[in-house]
Amino acid sequence: MIHVGKNQSQEFHAKDTRITEYPMSEKNISGAVAEIHGRYPETGFALNKKSKELVYIMEGNGKIITEKETAEFSKGDVIYIDKNEKFAWDGNFTMFMATTPAFDPKQHKIISYGTNNI
């Protein structure tokens, strides 16, 4: 068992977004809570080069935007994002994200519209 208390978490801020990471010694999975108010990223898409993400919407509502579709979501919904999938969030909501393998900021990229380089 691994227990990570709130007092061990690390917060990161971007415009209209706050992410609370819960660092663990386990390399196969990690977790974080994100509060998003507006669009993330502001333009283009986010992309995780190595990890898959499973997201649970804790509060609020919004939409997830990919190159192929836009899906609306609300509290209680679950969203799966595959590695190398370009996506953006828009709305006012709080979510819990589990990533596998564990999240590493070096693998997270912001991609401009129309960019095929992954």
Side-chain angles (χ1 to χ4, degrees):
M1 180 185 76
I2 299 172
H3 172 255
V4 182
K6 174 71 173 157
N7 63 339
Q8 297 169 290
S9 67
Q10 300 170 343
E11 282 197 8
F12 303 93
H13 298 268
K15 185 178 188 273
D16 300 325
T17 300
R18 179 173 66 182
I19 299 173
T20 305
E21 294 276 347
Y22 293 83
M24 297 191 302
S25 58
E26 176 59 47
K27 301 299 180 202
N28 292 318
I29 193 166
S30 63
V33 173
E35 296 175 38
I36 296 180
H37 302 285
R39 191 181 192 285
Y40 178 84
E42 287 185 66
T43 62
F45 295 101
L47 172 123
N48 192 314
K49 293 180 74 172
K50 294 185 181 178
S51 294
K52 299 173 183 183
E53 299 183 33
L54 187 62
V55 174
Y56 174 76
I57 305 302
M58 298 167 58
E59 293 291 334
N61 57 57
K63 58 186 172 182
I64 183 167
I65 305 158
T66 69
E67 290 183 303
K68 297 179 183 177
E69 66 182 306
T70 298
E72 294 186 7
F73 58 80
S74 59
K75 179 180 177 178
D77 290 357
V78 172
I79 300 163
Y80 170 77
I81 303 167
D82 207 353
K83 66 180 178 181
N84 290 319
E85 185 172 5
K86 296 176 187 177
F87 65 94
W89 301 105
D90 193 10
N92 291 294
F93 58 96
T94 302
M95 64 181 167
F96 174 79
M97 302 173 287
T99 56
T100 181
F103 181 78
D104 179 346
K106 296 174 192 163
Q107 68 200 34
H108 183 79
K109 305 288 181 198
I110 301 300
I111 307 294
S112 298
Y113 288 115
T115 300
N116 291 323
N117 266 348
I118 299 174

